[in-house]
Amino acid sequence: MNREDFEIFNTGVIYFDNGATTMKPKQVVDSVVDYYTKYTANAHRGDYENSLKVDTEYEKVREKVQKLIHSEKKEEIVFTAGATDSLNRIVFGFMKNYLSEGDEVLLTKAEHASNILPWMRLAEEIGIVIRYIPLPEKNEVSIENVLKSITDKTKVISIAHVTNVLGDVRPVHEIGEICQEKGILFVVDGAQSVPHRVVDVLKDHIDFLAFSAHKMLGPTGVGVLYGRYDLLEKLEPTTLGGGMNASFLADGEYELKSIPSRFEAGTPNIAGVIGLGSAIDYLLEIGMEIIQKYEAELRKYLLNRLSEIPNVIIYNQDIESSNIAFNLKDVFAQDTAIYLNHYHICVRAGNHCAKILKDELHVANTCRISLYFYNTKEEIDQLIEVLKKSEDIFKVIL
Amino acid sequence: MDANIRREIILDNYQNPKNRGLVENDSDYVVVNSNNESCIDNLDIQYKIQDGVLVDIHFDGEACAISTSATSIMIRSLIGKTVEEAKKILENYEAMIDEREYDADLLQELNVYDEIYLQPNRKKCALLPFESLKKVFKQLNL
């Protein structure tokens, strides 16, 4: 749907790597160009018209994000450089003070590097203990395994809402309730969920949420950190400078601005934030439920069609997801991706930044198709046609 | 080189590579891991170098058709060569991949990659085994 808004599809590209980044509709690009050509100014500064307009537009996006993720206050929305930046700020700006030696943090082996490596460093620095929720069946997180993994030292659960390799959807609502009941902080990596489905931080008791604009039609280099207001009060700014201080004196005394300005030091990514606002308008205009439903239908169609090809191995068949992780029998994932590229079909090959998932999946590398609402059955048909004649793969790629 | 012959040599070395599987419990061998930073190839290559001669080379790991075949052909080309000869081959091979002047006679079967520059994203795959060769020379101060 809505393909006419995406100029890039006129190039003939078939884009199935939406878990990595998404295409940008004209509306988003125009909003960024408008800022650069019609009212460029810095935010939070001048007393002239354009600067006030920038301030207004920039702050409006906070309200749009608030609406998108259903947070209580718009001040709970902090603009960052992306989901990775948000997660690092949660770990080093908050958890470093909040946690002590021996405290346990629950993750899974299917997490993206940005939700594992910061914790590993924190473990080195202050001696927290990382534990992994087991993923036995279909690599999914079950409530039973969450409950089994919790000890009286568990202080945090930090997991993706939707994983980036298999695309499985975690039962965040139930986990959120468990966390609330047991006084555990619930950190959710929303990079793969916010673009595709309804996310409700209040209803699901999410304490911190991280996501990126570029995976949801927006510009690169901008993202969101949501934090419950009382937690943001204890979040230390990890970057200091202009725009985040209320005053400072030569004797070293300084006072921070209020929340969330204190977390946005320096000139923010104004164009990026404005583009994100336009992306949110675009998504909400279609409706997140409709996007989710359409992608589920599309995936079902893709699975059906893939079943026509005997040498396709699928690793995430029976789960709710908009991804398919697959390999061609006896072909290295990257060779398959290079083969598909000859037909202008973009898929991702590799471990998809989840380098320890192979312990669970027993296969190191896969090809990943990650769908978005602008993908079509016709594109899937073209993929199937190309995969069907893949016995000549080495003729094509060598 | 004829495209069909080129493809056949690459494919044969990919599907039936020389010396796949590491030699275990032999301290005469040095293992070097090579992973391609821009993709997912991950190979361990094992060298036995004695009296300035590359006596034996084995490898193991997961990699694409180009990296795997290039490793196999490198192993075939280097076993029995002196370190000095191997360095000459290395130098000329890199020159070929980078589209600089090189001595084709010296490279023999490695010439199958003489058109890899047409696919710039595959250059690193073809260079991967030779990166490990450089590493092992550095490690052993050769």
Side-chain angles (χ1 to χ4, degrees), chain A residues 20-72:
Chain A
T21 196
T22 57
M23 306 293 100
K24 318 303 172 198
K26 187 176 179 307
Q27 290 82 339
V28 168
V29 177
D30 285 352
S31 72
V32 172
V33 171
D34 276 356
Y35 164 69
Y36 281 131
T37 54
K38 295 189 179 132
Y39 61 97
T40 306
N42 209 325
H44 315 309
R45 312 272 149 95
D47 294 315
Y48 46 92
E49 235 171 68
N50 280 350
S51 173
L52 291 173
K53 179 166 168 62
V54 167
D55 255 5
T56 314
E57 295 299 321
Y58 185 87
E59 290 305 320
K60 256 199 237 165
V61 182
R62 238 186 268 283
E63 288 168 32
K64 290 176 187 182
V65 175
Q66 181 200 0
K67 197 171 141 203
L68 180 76
I69 64 168
H70 304 92
S71 72
E72 198 184 338

Side-chain angles (χ1 to χ4, degrees), chain A residues 135-140 163 165-168 299 303 306 311-319 321 323-333 336 350 352 357-358 360-369, chain B residues 62:
Chain A
L135 303 173
E137 297 244 333
K138 296 175 198 162
N139 301 295
E140 289 182 294
T163 64
V165 182
L166 301 179
D168 54 309
R299 182 179 194 262
L303 273 175
L306 281 173
N311 60 333
V312 169
I313 307 160
I314 294 171
Y315 299 97
N316 58 347
Q317 179 93 25
D318 305 316
I319 62 168
S321 166
N323 290 3
I324 302 232
F326 76 101
N327 271 323
L328 290 173
K329 198 166 174 287
D330 299 327
V331 181
F332 190 60
T336 306
H352 318 292
L357 177 61
K358 62 176 187 290
E360 304 278 345
L361 212 55
H362 309 298
V363 53
N365 297 302
T366 56
C367 287
R368 179 187 69 183
I369 294 171
Chain B
E62 265 204 271

Side-chain angles (χ1 to χ4, degrees), chain A residues 115-358:
Chain A
N115 190 26
I116 292 188
L117 292 176
W119 296 109
M120 284 182 172
R121 175 171 282 183
L122 195 65
E124 267 173 42
E125 286 183 10
I126 65 167
I128 59 156
V129 177
I130 296 169
R131 300 187 67 224
Y132 298 101
I133 302 165
L135 303 173
E137 297 244 333
K138 296 175 198 162
N139 301 295
E140 289 182 294
V141 171
S142 69
I143 296 301
E144 196 195 335
N145 280 322
V146 171
L147 286 171
K148 265 196 232 159
S149 307
I150 293 173
T151 71
D152 52 7
K153 293 201 167 160
T154 306
K155 292 280 163 34
V156 180
I157 296 181
S158 183
I159 57 170
H161 184 177
V162 172
T163 64
N164 84 101
V165 182
L166 301 179
D168 54 309
V169 183
R170 270 75 180 271
V172 288
H173 183 68
E174 290 79 357
I175 300 173
E177 284 187 333
I178 295 169
C179 286
Q180 202 198 24
E181 192 195 307
K182 297 189 184 281
I184 295 167
L185 287 183
F186 190 25
V187 180
V188 173
D189 168 5
Q192 302 291 344
S193 62
V194 177
H196 300 270
R197 54 178 50 239
V198 175
V199 172
D200 191 324
V201 292
L202 275 184
K203 209 175 90 201
D204 295 340
H205 308 292
I206 294 171
D207 296 308
F208 287 107
L209 177 75
F211 61 96
S212 296
H214 72 98
K215 292 188 201 287
M216 50 185 287
L217 313 177
T220 53
V222 65
V224 169
L225 157 59
Y226 157 80
R228 223 175 62 203
Y229 196 84
D230 62 306
L231 299 176
L232 288 185
E233 285 180 320
K234 294 177 203 142
L235 177 72
E236 292 262 342
T238 39
T239 311
L240 291 92
M244 57 79 71
N245 69 82
S247 69
F248 57 93
L249 298 167
D251 66 5
E253 205 173 294
Y254 62 85
E255 194 188 329
L256 298 177
K257 268 194 182 173
S258 58
I259 293 168
S261 301
R262 70 171 67 154
F263 306 118
E264 294 173 8
T267 296
N269 184 349
I270 300 167
V273 168
I274 287 170
L276 167 63
S278 169
I280 294 172
D281 288 343
Y282 192 96
L283 291 170
L284 292 180
E285 174 86 25
I286 304 175
M288 299 314 294
E289 290 95 346
I290 291 172
I291 290 173
Q292 187 186 336
K293 199 166 153 250
Y294 175 79
E295 286 174 14
E297 267 174 39
L298 207 57
R299 182 179 194 262
K300 209 170 140 198
Y301 181 77
L302 174 55
L303 273 175
N304 270 332
R305 297 258 19 225
L306 281 173
S307 68
E308 294 168 23
I309 310 168
N311 60 333
V312 169
I313 307 160
I314 294 171
Y315 299 97
N316 58 347
Q317 179 93 25
D318 305 316
I319 62 168
E320 184 197 351
S321 166
S322 43
N323 290 3
I324 302 232
F326 76 101
N327 271 323
L328 290 173
K329 198 166 174 287
D330 299 327
V331 181
F332 190 60
Q334 197 187 10
D335 287 328
T336 306
I338 285 163
Y339 169 71
L340 292 175
N341 175 54
H342 277 260
Y343 300 94
H344 311 294
I345 299 173
C346 311
V347 303
R348 178 59 66 97
N351 46 46
H352 318 292
C353 299
K355 292 185 195 256
I356 54 180
L357 177 61
K358 62 176 187 290

Side-chain angles (χ1 to χ4, degrees), chain B residues 3-16:
Chain B
N4 284 320
I5 295 175
R6 178 189 286 124
R7 189 182 305 127
E8 219 169 277
I9 294 173
I10 293 176
L11 200 52
D12 187 43
N13 277 281
Y14 173 53
Q15 287 168 340
N16 309 294

